[in-house]
Amino acid sequence: MATLDLSRISKSFGEAKVLHDIDLAIADKEFVVFVGPSGCGKSTLLRIVAGLEEATSGEIFIDGQEVSRAHPVDRGISMVFQSYALYPHLSVYENIAFPLRVAKLEKAALDAKVQEAARILQLTDKLKLKPGQLSGGQRQRVAIGRSIVRQPKVFLFDEPLSNLDAALRGEMRVELSRLHRELNATMVYVTHDQVEAMTMADRIVVLNGGRVEQFGSPMELYHHPATRFVATFIGQPNMNLIPAQVLGTEPGGLAVELPGGARMVLPVEAGGAASGDAVEIGIRPEDLRLGGDLSLHVEVLERLGGSAVTYGTEPGGGRFCAMLPGDAPIHEGETLALGVAPEAVHVFDGGGRVMRRLRAPALVA
Ligand code: ADP
Ligand code: MG
């Protein structure tokens, strides 16, 4: 059992405030990913949980026990970093065993733990090798092995895959998900890569400028981003944003006009929006189809096989991307007529907050 609760965590370095009142309740056995652009405060927040950095204010609870001022080794956590510091002169076995040697564990119990970690990480046949004889992915597994043998309540990972090449990162993503299932442990994983966040997380914390933009399941963030920032951060290719003008409210929702004159009635609540107000509409490239009132001047066409991704501009001059079926009959240089279901359109107010939908679509969680 290990829940992790953060209450009003703030952090300043001198004059610079880098974390603002972070509240999070992470459930037992949950895999939570902190994601956000470089410099948004992910590592600082994780280091505060680990006890490697002290919060300026706020409290941390592990399993309901306050640990805000506890020494790192007394918190029952274990952290794996991007740069895995293995001892080059020690074997894989001794690298994994290291924390147990420090703790003076007796030989049979130590051996059982190392063998079990090696089995879980598929390193059994590598135990006699030195780190220099391993691939990058295997070395990272040894570093993870060293944290497994300590049987922490909470595992913390700070961009552990960033140094690996793309193919290996994909493999390690699958392995870490498998590891999470097998260990049944609470894990917090930091990355700037939204694909890692989407594929591994039970729930994602999107951080921006030291604030939590949104905390939810991957599909919740994908279908119901709370802000323009989350909307454009989650999803590949990125969501299109088009400035639009409010025409007024109609029974079906908010009527807007797009650059080039296309009009849409979108099923969102008007809130305080009045005729003439500027809003932004967000459309995911994969929600567009051929035929409709929107137009896209195709500059670049990438046929990926299963899909054809086209990049170009909309009539207002903004960048616009559409993902269409792989064999869609389209060409570079032409102007496409595209359509989108009104329910699939996101609408953001002047402050970048999403405007509430009139009826919530079904959600796959
Ligand atoms: P991330 O991991 O999301 O890239 P960090 O948590 O490393 O971001 O950094 C958040 C902000 O805090 C950055 O602006 C960074 O420059 C600043 N920062 C981090 N550590 C220190 C430090 N020890 N002293 C001063 N500023 C720091
Ligand atoms: Mg970092």
Side-chain angles (χ1 to χ4, degrees):
M1 277 291 291
T3 56
L4 172 62
D5 293 278
L6 306 187
S7 170
R8 300 184 62 85
I9 293 287
S10 291
K11 176 70 180 175
S12 298
F13 290 108
E15 293 289 281
K17 190 161 186 185
V18 300
L19 293 174
H20 305 261
D21 288 334
I22 307 270
D23 284 314
L24 286 175
I26 294 173
D28 182 38
K29 301 184 176 55
E30 219 179 356
F31 195 134
V32 168
V33 175
F34 295 172
V35 72
S38 179
C40 71
K42 306 180 293 294
S43 293
T44 303
L45 188 57
L46 202 69
R47 290 169 59 80
I48 288 172
V49 173
L52 301 174
E53 197 82 69
E54 199 177 336
T56 308
S57 61
E59 289 98 49
I60 303 158
F61 301 86
I62 293 176
D63 260 351
Q65 298 274 7
E66 188 177 353
V67 296
S68 315
R69 267 146 218 77
H71 192 272
V73 294
D74 298 329
R75 293 190 185 197
I77 49 95
S78 158
M79 190 149 166
V80 178
F81 299 90
Q82 174 179 347
S83 46
Y84 29 85
L86 301 180
Y87 299 103
H89 58 287
L90 295 182
S91 65
V92 168
Y93 185 101
E94 286 304 328
N95 266 284
I96 295 176
F98 196 81
L100 304 177
R101 296 255 186 244
V102 172
K104 302 207 182 341
L105 199 69
E106 57 91 13
K107 198 163 174 289
L110 176 145
D111 188 61
K113 287 191 179 198
V114 174
Q115 294 294 349
E116 172 66 1
R119 181 191 65 75
I120 290 169
L121 294 163
Q122 293 159 10
L123 288 169
T124 304
D125 59 345
K126 306 280 186 292
L127 285 171
K128 294 202 175 77
L129 301 181
K130 298 277 169 63
Q133 296 168 284
L134 303 179
S135 70
Q138 290 165 341
R139 270 180 244 165
Q140 188 58 286
R141 293 213 295 263
V142 177
I144 294 168
R146 201 157 58 186
S147 72
I148 289 178
V149 293
R150 297 175 46 204
Q151 294 179 302
K153 289 183 183 168
V154 182
F155 285 87
L156 307 178
F157 297 93
D158 193 354
E159 311 230 15
L161 308 186
S162 297
N163 285 344
L164 307 180
D165 65 43
L168 207 50
R169 274 210 302 278
E171 267 175 47
M172 286 298 290
R173 282 208 308 265
V174 176
E175 287 203 22
L176 282 170
S177 295
R178 193 177 55 78
L179 183 69
H180 175 243
R181 266 200 312 280
E182 180 145 359
L183 295 177
N184 237 331
T186 308
M187 294 188 170
V188 182
Y189 185 101
V190 161
T191 180
H192 63 276
D193 180 350
Q194 62 99 15
V195 176
E196 284 183 13
M198 288 298 283
T199 53
M200 294 194 291
D202 294 317
R203 286 194 294 168
I204 299 174
V205 179
V206 181
L207 285 170
N208 180 24
R211 290 189 166 83
V212 176
E213 288 268 335
Q214 196 169 354
F215 184 23
S217 73
M219 292 311 277
E220 217 170 305
L221 301 197
Y222 177 81
H223 286 300
H224 303 293
T227 64
R228 174 187 198 278
F229 181 86
V230 174
T232 53
F233 198 79
I234 300 289
Q236 231 7 287
N238 292 348
M239 183 188 284
N240 297 294
L241 288 174
I242 308 170
Q245 200 180 35
V246 174
L247 298 173
T249 48
E250 293 190 10
L254 193 72
V256 301
E257 182 171 314
L258 274 56
R263 292 177 177 215
M264 303 180 96
V265 177
L266 302 170
V268 300
E269 291 177 11
S275 173
D277 282 357
V279 293
E280 248 178 328
I281 69 164
I283 303 175
R284 295 208 181 273
E286 56 274 32
D287 288 335
L288 289 158
R289 51 178 154 65
L290 283 175
D293 296 337
L294 301 170
S295 66
L296 163 65
H297 179 71
V298 180
E299 287 162 2
V300 174
L301 172 59
E302 292 179 345
R303 289 204 191 269
L304 301 178
S307 61
V309 183
T310 76
Y311 301 90
T313 49
E314 43 89 16
R319 300 167 65 79
F320 202 60
C321 172
M323 190 184 259
L324 300 167
D327 47 12
I330 56 178
H331 307 95
E332 287 180 356
E334 74 174 319
T335 298
L336 301 176
L338 298 175
V340 60
E343 310 80 59
V345 177
H346 305 261
V347 190
F348 303 100
D349 65 20
R353 308 278 322 167
V354 79
M355 295 175 73
R356 280 180 55 144
R357 288 169 195 263
L358 287 179
R359 36 179 194 281
L363 174 69
V364 184

